[in-house]
Amino acid sequence: MRVGLIVDSACDLPYEFARKHDLFVLPVTAIIDGQTYIDNHDPVRTQEFYQSGLLDKGHQAETEAFSAEQIHDLFMEKIVTEFDVAICETVTRSRSLIYQNASEAMNSVMAHYEEARKAAGRDGKFSMRVIDSKQIFAGQGLLAAHTLKLIGQKVSKNALRHEVETFTDKIYTCVIPRDLHYIRERARRRGDKSVSAVAAFLGKALNIIPVIFGQGVEGKPVAKTRNFDMAVEKVMNYAVARVEAGLLTPYVSLSCGLSWTEIEDLPGLNRLRDACEQNGVELLLSQMGITSAIYVGPGSICLALAAEPHEFSDFQ
């Protein structure tokens, strides 16, 4: 039985890790200054976007989920013919139509897959499940890494589905938005009022950089700093201490909306690398994808790990 994992372009993971594990990325359409781009996590294209400045706040940038029809065609061509069981983990449904469209596509695929499998020479039935990851960015990447570990352990498909659906509630994320005004403007265009204009104004006027912490997308500010490096130090201190205290899966996911040179210069990154190595944890360090960078803004950082219930302040 061949099991495949599908994620969308909001899921941040190192390119080599995704390729090694045959991860299928469901693309997202990016519309920047009226030009349409397909974000399929091509590392070369992503690097070009950062270098060109197309992701900076001076540009009009939005993302758009593939339609149910587009997703259906991809599933029929790439998934039904290659796998016997497929798990599709989408960015949280509260922030995107991907879950809804993928679910609609799945229902159509399940009613019409036999002919495609027969033509591809694959015997037996096909099953599929679309799961709301309840995560964004690095959090979605962490869930994907844990899912791939379970697939490698050859757990049954029912056990796999149950573990994934329960495990996502154990993931904690830290987000450092570089520019609250950017987030507020993007949220306003989506009709999302979760970031207030007052908070955006204070962040812009006083150069306040917050650390937003919580489970999945249910985060709240837990620290306010006067510069970006101070915020990064706090998050790295948290991650190092949490790794040393123990995790529920041996991964820490860190995605950064920065150039690789800037990423390597992040304060505390080498301490986190050392802590992970000493505790048998793999650090999944990636450049934030185009979709993620448009959503939260270039220069931002997202870190995710899975652990027993705790507060950010417990590890400061």
Side-chain angles (χ1 to χ4, degrees), residues 6 16 29 56 85 103 127 146 186-187 193 207 246 255 266 274 296 300 302 306:
I6 307 158
E16 291 300 328
T29 301
D56 293 344
V85 176
S103 296
S127 64
H146 183 68
R186 290 290 185 268
K193 300 179 180 178
N207 195 31
S255 66
L266 287 173
D274 291 343
V296 75
S300 301
C302 183

Side-chain angles (χ1 to χ4, degrees), residues 12 25 36 45 53 60 64 68 95 103 133 153 164 176 180 188 199 224 232 237 239 245 251 258 271 280 296 298 307:
D12 286 334
V25 178
T36 298
R45 170 56 67 88
Q60 296 291 325
E64 186 177 283
R95 295 290 188 268
S103 296
S133 74
Q153 294 171 348
V164 170
I176 305 175
L180 286 175
R188 181 182 61 80
K224 293 181 181 180
V232 172
N237 290 342
Y251 304 103
L258 302 164
R271 284 193 297 110
V296 75

Side-chain angles (χ1 to χ4, degrees), residues 17 38 44 109 157 199 211 215 232 256 307:
F17 181 89
I38 302 301
V44 175
V109 164
K157 64 180 182 180
V211 174
Q215 290 171 279
V232 172
C256 310

Side-chain angles (χ1 to χ4, degrees), residues 14-75:
Y15 175 74
E16 291 300 328
F17 181 89
R19 188 173 70 169
K20 174 184 175 182
H21 293 282
D22 200 19
L23 190 67
F24 183 83
V25 178
L26 185 62
V28 169
T29 301
I31 305 168
I32 304 175
D33 295 337
Q35 295 292 313
T36 298
Y37 307 87
I38 302 301
D39 180 14
N40 57 7
H41 272 205
D42 180 332
V44 175
R45 170 56 67 88
T46 301
Q47 183 65 17
E48 288 174 352
F49 267 68
Y50 280 99
Q51 292 174 342
S52 69
L54 278 175
L55 298 175
D56 293 344
K57 65 182 179 182
H59 297 273
Q60 296 291 325
E62 304 292 344
T63 58
E64 186 177 283
F66 265 33
S67 68
E69 292 77 14
Q70 288 174 301
I71 297 174
H72 168 272
D73 291 345
L74 283 172
F75 283 172

Side-chain angles (χ1 to χ4, degrees), residues 125-176:
K125 291 186 177 296
F126 172 78
S127 64
M128 187 174 191
R129 182 79 173 189
V130 177
I131 295 174
D132 175 9
S133 74
K134 304 178 187 177
Q135 305 294 328
I136 53 174
F137 320 147
Q140 195 180 352
L142 185 80
L143 182 65
H146 183 68
T147 304
L148 290 167
K149 182 168 75 75
L150 295 172
I151 291 172
Q153 294 171 348
K154 301 187 183 303
V155 301
S156 70
K157 64 180 182 180
N158 289 335
L160 176 64
R161 184 187 69 189
H162 175 74
E163 170 68 11
V164 170
E165 290 179 336
T166 56
F167 187 82
T168 188
D169 293 325
K170 302 171 184 176
I171 296 175
Y172 290 81
T173 59
C174 298
V175 177
I176 305 175

Side-chain angles (χ1 to χ4, degrees), residues 141-297:
L142 185 80
L143 182 65
H146 183 68
T147 304
L148 290 167
K149 182 168 75 75
L150 295 172
I151 291 172
Q153 294 171 348
K154 301 187 183 303
V155 301
S156 70
K157 64 180 182 180
N158 289 335
L160 176 64
R161 184 187 69 189
H162 175 74
E163 170 68 11
V164 170
E165 290 179 336
T166 56
F167 187 82
T168 188
D169 293 325
K170 302 171 184 176
I171 296 175
Y172 290 81
T173 59
C174 298
V175 177
I176 305 175
R178 197 63 173 263
D179 187 334
L180 286 175
H181 181 73
Y182 177 100
I183 294 180
R184 200 264 298 176
E185 283 300 306
R186 290 290 185 268
R188 181 182 61 80
R189 291 174 191 161
R190 294 192 306 270
D192 181 352
K193 300 179 180 178
S194 60
V195 180
S196 72
V198 173
F201 173 77
L202 288 174
K204 185 178 179 67
L206 303 179
N207 195 31
I208 291 174
I209 304 292
V211 174
I212 300 171
F213 171 79
Q215 290 171 279
V217 293
E218 302 303 320
K220 61 182 180 180
V222 291
K224 293 181 181 180
T225 63
R226 288 303 180 93
N227 64 66
F228 181 71
D229 282 355
M230 288 176 62
V232 172
E233 284 275 15
K234 286 183 175 292
V235 169
M236 294 297 182
N237 290 342
Y238 158 77
V240 168
R242 186 62 261 192
V243 165
E244 291 173 346
L247 302 175
L248 298 179
T249 196
Y251 304 103
V252 171
S253 179
L254 175 61
S255 66
C256 310
L258 302 164
S259 70
W260 279 108
T261 300
E262 292 170 319
I263 291 172
E264 289 300 328
D265 287 339
L266 287 173
L269 177 60
N270 287 330
R271 284 193 297 110
L272 178 57
R273 280 189 171 122
D274 291 343
C276 287
E277 183 176 354
Q278 292 166 11
N279 289 275
V281 172
E282 184 173 357
L283 176 60
L284 301 170
L285 177 63
S286 65
Q287 192 170 47
M288 193 172 278
I290 296 169
T291 299
S292 307
I294 288 175
Y295 187 94
V296 75

